[in-house]
Amino acid sequence: MKTLYIRMGTLLFCLAAYALHEARSAEAAEVTVVGFSQVGAESDWRQANTQSMRKAFSEAKGYKLIIKDAQQRQSRQLAAIHGFVDQKVGFIVVAPVTEDGWDEALQKAKEANIPVIIVDRKIKARSEDLYTCWVGSDFRKEGDEAVAWMEKNLKADKDLFIVHLQGSMGSSAQIGRTEALLAGEGRNPAWRVVARDSGAFTQAKGKEAMERILKQHTRIDVLYCENDDMALGAMEAMDEAGRSYGVKGDVAVISFDATRAGLTATLQGKINYNVECNPLHGPRVEEIVRRLKKGEVQEKYFYVPEAAFDAAFFTQSELDAREY
Ligand code: GYE
């Protein structure tokens, strides 16, 4: 009888140890699935943004990150959100291409109880309750920074002829940076925007737009360009047309993003003033996911810190110290 009790005891102990082992390995293997709908790969900024998300949501940290590249099309982003809900991901992250048109997809995620974090550009939703929170830049402030530099450094006793290259129309980045220039125009009667065109934030389209503009305008004092990729394209067009630009040239170049390529051009004096747009959202978004998992409440809006760089003061060591 005694032996039987001992055997049963041993058996129960083994079963309990096995159950504990199973529970522990399930816990260790618990993976958080995050669906990320990215705008595309249109610019260096965007690529740095995607990298930052990949790094933050690594497998080593217990994540499975599903990235869907929308190739700058909202229809693809909407399909991606619907797909993420059907797949029952734990969290959805969206970098929205435009501000409008998200209500229905977000409603579906809300009904499925999946938190949605918006990054980079903002959205105009029927209700702010349709998403959990937002992380990104203050685009109007970036534009105001650039316009303030123009007001201080490009004082014109006569008219200032400005060319304005815009990003993807309807995106918050375009809207904020454009509004700032329009406000500057309103305050400065000597400013004349002689041409305005969109280069959709890409180098190729920025070049094409600038080629068209250069054919029509012999005098240009300023190029206000809403990102570095388009500025690089526009500089190619100016090189080919034999027009001088930058600190020592005829056309002062104002740009946004402060990517490595953009800041290299700033260091070379080809871009006069470059306003940073910080793409490193990954760590912040990952922290938000961790906190949401613990049930902690988020602040609704988080603006990433940003700087601006004047070619007159920018140095090689500052460039070397940059993270992207
Ligand atoms: O400035 C541009 C990119 O939304 C902040 O999109 C982003 C903008 C960025 O393609 O380069």
Side-chain angles (χ1 to χ4, degrees), residues 42-43 45-46 120-121 139 173 177 201 226-227 257 277:
E42 74 283 2
S43 64
W45 186 98
R46 187 66 55 200
D120 169 21
R121 305 170 184 173
F139 302 111
R177 293 167 190 167
F201 284 131
E226 289 180 4
N227 85 344
D257 280 358
C277 183

Side-chain angles (χ1 to χ4, degrees), residues 6-301:
I6 293 174
R7 283 209 183 126
M8 277 178 67
T10 318
L11 183 68
L12 283 175
F13 176 78
C14 289
L15 281 173
Y18 178 73
L20 188 68
H21 169 78
E22 283 295 285
R24 285 218 178 117
S25 43
E27 199 180 300
E30 195 202 306
V31 169
T32 305
V33 182
V34 178
F36 175 34
S37 170
Q38 177 61 293
V39 168
E42 74 283 2
S43 64
D44 284 5
W45 186 98
R46 187 66 55 200
Q47 296 187 24
N49 183 247
T50 304
Q51 276 320 313
S52 170
M53 296 288 288
R54 270 193 214 287
K55 208 170 142 199
F57 289 96
S58 64
E59 275 180 31
K61 286 192 205 147
Y63 292 104
K64 180 174 177 212
L65 180 68
I66 309 168
I67 302 184
K68 293 275 179 205
D69 177 338
Q71 295 168 10
Q72 301 241 56
R73 301 230 297 271
Q74 188 184 37
S75 56
R76 283 175 174 262
Q77 293 205 279
L78 296 173
I81 297 172
H82 283 284
F84 292 149
V85 175
D86 294 340
Q87 275 174 271
K88 298 190 169 51
V89 300
F91 297 85
I92 296 177
V93 181
V94 184
V97 62
T98 49
E99 294 192 341
D100 295 314
W102 302 96
D103 287 350
E104 197 204 319
L106 294 184
Q107 182 65 40
K108 180 167 166 172
K110 193 174 173 61
E111 279 162 17
N113 262 326
I114 302 175
V116 176
I117 302 161
I118 310 288
V119 295
D120 169 21
R121 305 170 184 173
K122 283 187 171 159
I123 62 166
K124 280 194 202 122
R126 172 167 44 73
S127 154
E128 288 190 352
D129 292 345
L130 285 180
Y131 55 92
T132 308
C133 58
W134 170 90
V135 173
S137 306
D138 186 336
F139 302 111
R140 174 63 198 263
K141 189 164 162 235
E142 289 175 359
D144 286 339
E145 188 82 42
V147 168
W149 186 91
M150 286 164 64
E151 285 174 330
K152 188 160 166 240
N153 293 277
L154 303 175
K155 286 212 181 79
D157 31 16
K158 46 185 174 28
D159 291 344
L160 200 62
F161 285 24
I162 303 168
V163 165
H164 179 191
L165 278 188
Q166 297 174 286
S168 306
M169 300 308 288
S171 67
S172 320
Q174 174 271 314
I175 294 170
R177 293 167 190 167
T178 292
E179 275 174 2
L181 182 61
L182 294 177
E185 240 186 310
R187 281 195 301 274
N188 296 278
W191 289 16
R192 286 180 51 194
V193 175
V194 292
R196 176 170 280 139
D197 204 344
S198 170
F201 284 131
T202 72
Q203 184 162 346
K205 293 217 168 84
K207 182 178 180 192
E208 281 168 30
M210 195 63 183
E211 280 169 352
R212 284 193 295 274
I213 293 167
L214 288 169
K215 283 190 190 127
Q216 291 158 8
H217 299 274
T218 43
R219 178 177 159 201
I220 300 169
D221 301 316
V222 187
L223 168 63
Y224 180 96
C225 190
E226 289 180 4
N227 85 344
D228 282 339
D229 297 73
M230 295 191 297
L232 294 173
M235 291 187 310
E236 272 173 36
M238 290 192 279
D239 284 336
E240 286 166 21
R243 309 277 277 263
S244 70
Y245 53 88
V247 176
K248 295 193 183 128
D250 292 335
V251 186
V253 180
I254 314 296
S255 185
F256 294 87
D257 280 358
T259 59
R260 183 153 292 271
L263 282 182
T264 303
T266 310
L267 190 66
Q268 293 163 344
K270 293 178 177 177
I271 292 177
N272 300 57
Y273 195 61
N274 204 331
V275 182
E276 181 186 36
C277 183
N278 185 348
L280 305 178
H281 299 153
R284 179 77 199 177
V285 178
E286 197 268 332
E287 189 198 323
I288 290 172
V289 166
R290 248 186 300 129
R291 283 170 53 189
L292 286 172
K293 281 171 75 178
K294 284 195 241 154
E296 290 174 18
V297 179
Q298 295 304 306
E299 56 211 311
K300 193 84 182 177
Y301 296 96

